[in-house]
């Protein structure tokens, strides 16, 4: 009995041993057959696909935009000019347009959390519309990420950030619709300029233009053609050497600009019509970008009471794009009516279809802010 039990036990041990040995051999064979691609957890490095995957997990598009807005600065000069800028490095350097800070050595900068600091102009060009401001209190803040390797291409989706007409830290969206433009606005020469369709207004000057996919700065918003809803941006790659030179050796004496001696370059005294036009543009741009929270916040209380945010957002579930073609504003009994031609591309029977609409915004002042009191749209007659 004992001998049988011992023999059985010995046989079991042999079988188990052979099984384990076989498993090890098979496992090693498979491991040797597979290509060796060590995990980033082992190497500490990421390939492009891993970086994109982890980035998607960690931050949504809206969160990335919110983070970018925290790095945009509003700039006020002693003579009343208002412009924009963005944090360039971790040492507190801020990039803006030269015409924003022309004839000023000290300016007030306002961060996204409404904190105010004194900034000192440490570099300014007399021919290129770019300047540098140093704010020691902002040292340690995370800077904007720059795109210096790739040039903007036609139809690239872009976002213009800044403080137009005193509306701090707003975002409008559009596309690049022209590159390598050149013109002169004395005393500055604009060369290799990118043209884009995102709405900008006085106060946007000096703010960053972002590629909407990478969320990197591709340019410095510098000029506008409001009648054609066009903006112009200096490619950031074209001015980084100039900026780095000022960081290494700040200018000891700043030049004067006679052109801006009598009045501020971007004096913000907007009319009701200008503010209403911008609200309409901002509303459409927010929808274009998919920022329905901002679009909904531009509606008056009475309009928001008509439908919930979820109902508001559901209106656009088949929308592919929306863009402003033309607009005009009229004062009507203390409010402002904005009439606009808007092109919408929507999915109709699973096919994209573009249609022109007549939009009518009635914009009023509510609790010190301009809001959309009524919004109507109808298809344009062919």
């Amino acid at each position: 009995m004992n001998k049988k039990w011992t023999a059985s036990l010995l046989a079991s041990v042999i079988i188990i041993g052979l099984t384990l040995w076989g498993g090890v051999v098979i496992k090693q064979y498979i491991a040797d057959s597979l290509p060796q691609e060590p995990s980033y957890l082992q190497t500490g490095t990421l390939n492009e696909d891993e970086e994109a995957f982890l980035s998607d997990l960690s931050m949504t598009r809206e969160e990335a935009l919110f983070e970018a807005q925290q790095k945009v600065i509003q700039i006020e000069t002693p003579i009343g000019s208002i412009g924009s800028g963005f944090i360039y490095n971790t040492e507190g350097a801020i990039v803006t347009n030269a015409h924003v800070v022309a004839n000023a050595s000290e300016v007030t900068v306002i961060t996204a959390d409404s904190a105010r600091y004194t900034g000192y102009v440490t570099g300014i060009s007399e021919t290129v519309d770019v300047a540098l401001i140093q704010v020691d209190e902002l040292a340690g803040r995370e800077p904007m990420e720059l795109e210096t390797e790739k040039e903007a291409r036609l139809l690239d989706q872009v976002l213009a950030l800044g403080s137009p007409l005193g509306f701090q830290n707003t975002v409008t969206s559009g596309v690049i619709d022209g590159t390598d433009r050149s013109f002169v606005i004395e005393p500055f020469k604009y060369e290799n300029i990118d043209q884009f369709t995102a709405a900008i207004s006085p106060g946007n000057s000096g703010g960053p233009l972002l590629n909407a996919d990478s969320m990197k700065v591709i340019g410095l918003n510098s000029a506008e053609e409001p009648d054609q809803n066009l903006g112009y941006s200096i490619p950031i790659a074209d001015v980084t050497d100039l900026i780095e030179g000022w960081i290494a050796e700040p200018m000891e004496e700043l030049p004067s600009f006679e052109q801006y001696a009598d009045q501020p370059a971007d004096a913000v005294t907007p009319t009701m019509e200008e503010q209403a036009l911008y609200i309409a543009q901002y509303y459409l741009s927010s929808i274009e970008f998919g920022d329905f929270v901002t679009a909904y916040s531009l509606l008056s209380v009475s309009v928001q009471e008509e439908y919930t945010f979820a109902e508001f957002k559901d209106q656009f579930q088949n929308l592919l794009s929306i863009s402003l073609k033309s607009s005009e504003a009229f004062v009507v009994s203390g409010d402002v009516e904005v009439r606009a031609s808007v092109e919408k591309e929507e999915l109709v029977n699973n096919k994209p279809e573009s249609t022109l609409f007549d939009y009518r915004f009635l914009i009023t002042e509510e609790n010190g802010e301009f809001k959309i009191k009524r919004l109507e749209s109808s298809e344009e007659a062919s």
Side-chain angles (χ1 to χ4, degrees):
M1 182 71 179
N2 288 338
K3 289 182 180 180
K4 292 183 178 179
W5 183 87
T6 303
S8 177
L9 178 61
L10 181 61
S12 298
V13 169
I14 292 172
I15 292 171
I16 292 171
L18 289 172
T19 302
L20 291 174
W21 176 80
V24 170
V25 171
I26 293 170
K27 179 179 179 182
Q28 186 62 46
Y29 173 79
I30 293 173
D32 291 341
S33 302
L34 293 174
Q36 298 301 306
E37 295 183 358
S39 164
Y40 77 93
L41 294 173
Q42 296 172 316
T43 65
T45 60
L46 299 171
N47 61 38
E48 290 183 1
D49 291 340
E50 288 169 337
E51 286 182 344
F53 175 70
L54 291 178
S55 177
D56 289 342
L57 282 179
S58 61
M59 189 177 297
T60 67
R61 196 180 192 199
E62 290 77 10
E63 289 170 338
L65 178 58
F66 177 79
E67 183 177 276
Q69 287 178 292
Q70 308 314 298
K71 304 167 188 175
V72 178
I73 305 296
Q74 182 172 315
I75 300 166
E76 295 181 357
T77 72
I79 57 174
S81 174
I82 292 182
S84 304
F86 63 90
I87 299 175
Y88 180 81
N89 64 17
T90 57
E91 304 303 316
I94 295 172
V95 171
T96 187
N97 281 138
H99 77 259
V100 171
V101 296
N103 300 324
S105 58
E106 295 183 15
V107 296
T108 298
V109 301
I110 305 171
T111 58
D113 59 2
S114 299
R116 302 172 73 92
Y117 305 100
T118 298
Y120 300 91
V121 180
T122 56
I124 187 168
S125 173
E126 295 181 76
T127 55
V128 181
D129 195 4
V130 63
L132 190 71
I133 300 168
Q134 179 62 34
V135 184
D136 290 340
E137 290 87 347
L138 296 182
R141 297 280 187 104
E142 187 178 352
M144 282 284 197
E145 194 172 356
L146 310 182
E147 177 55 82
T148 58
E149 301 298 326
K150 300 177 182 178
E151 294 184 351
R153 298 174 299 179
L154 291 176
L155 301 183
D156 279 352
Q157 294 284 332
V158 294
L159 305 170
L161 280 64
S163 299
L165 303 177
F167 294 105
Q168 188 175 4
N169 229 333
T170 64
V171 182
T172 54
S173 64
V175 298
I176 297 289
D177 71 343
T179 59
D180 200 21
R181 300 284 194 259
S182 296
F183 52 87
V184 174
I185 303 177
E186 292 291 346
F188 304 112
K189 296 179 180 179
Y190 298 84
E191 299 176 344
N192 189 33
I193 301 302
D194 294 325
Q195 177 179 300
F196 58 90
T197 61
I200 62 173
S201 297
N204 265 119
S205 291
L209 185 71
L210 307 185
N211 179 291
D213 292 326
S214 68
M215 300 302 287
K216 293 182 180 180
V217 177
I218 61 172
L220 191 65
N221 300 326
S222 303
E224 60 165 328
E225 280 191 82
D227 293 341
Q228 300 183 43
N229 296 309
L230 293 176
Y232 297 92
S233 172
I234 300 173
I236 192 65
D238 291 354
V239 293
T240 50
D241 287 347
L242 195 58
I243 294 166
E244 292 293 338
W246 291 327
I247 291 173
E249 295 184 28
M251 296 177 68
E252 295 182 359
E253 186 175 347
L254 302 177
S256 59
F257 296 83
E258 296 181 1
Q259 292 86 348
Y260 301 119
D262 296 331
Q263 60 183 15
D266 268 351
V268 180
T269 53
T271 64
M272 290 180 62
E273 293 94 327
E274 288 175 323
Q275 294 183 74
L277 281 169
Y278 185 76
I279 289 293
Q281 294 170 338
Y282 191 21
Y283 172 84
L284 293 171
S285 186
S286 297
I287 292 173
E288 167 74 13
F289 181 67
D291 185 2
F292 301 110
V293 172
T294 294
Y296 190 70
S297 73
L298 294 174
L299 304 176
S300 69
V301 172
S302 60
V303 176
Q304 290 183 2
E305 288 175 347
E306 294 179 12
Y307 40 76
T308 66
F309 171 72
E311 293 170 334
F312 171 77
K313 185 178 179 180
D314 282 347
Q315 300 177 69
F316 309 105
Q317 57 183 335
N318 293 321
L319 183 70
L320 298 176
S321 67
I322 185 168
S323 58
L324 178 67
K325 297 302 179 183
S326 63
S327 59
E328 55 184 347
F330 312 89
V331 176
V332 179
S333 302
D335 294 332
V336 183
E337 181 176 309
V338 174
R339 299 176 186 173
S341 176
V342 175
E343 183 176 16
K344 293 170 67 175
E345 185 178 19
E346 298 175 285
L347 278 178
V348 179
N349 296 323
N350 293 321
K351 294 182 179 180
E353 185 174 300
S354 294
T355 310
L356 286 175
F357 286 85
D358 288 319
Y359 268 64
R360 295 180 65 184
F361 298 83
L362 186 64
I363 296 175
T364 189
E365 191 169 355
E366 181 180 273
N367 299 322
E369 297 180 343
F370 280 85
K371 298 286 186 177
I372 299 170
K373 183 179 180 179
R374 189 173 70 246
L375 175 57
E376 301 172 350
S377 66
S378 59
E379 189 172 335
E380 284 189 8
S382 56

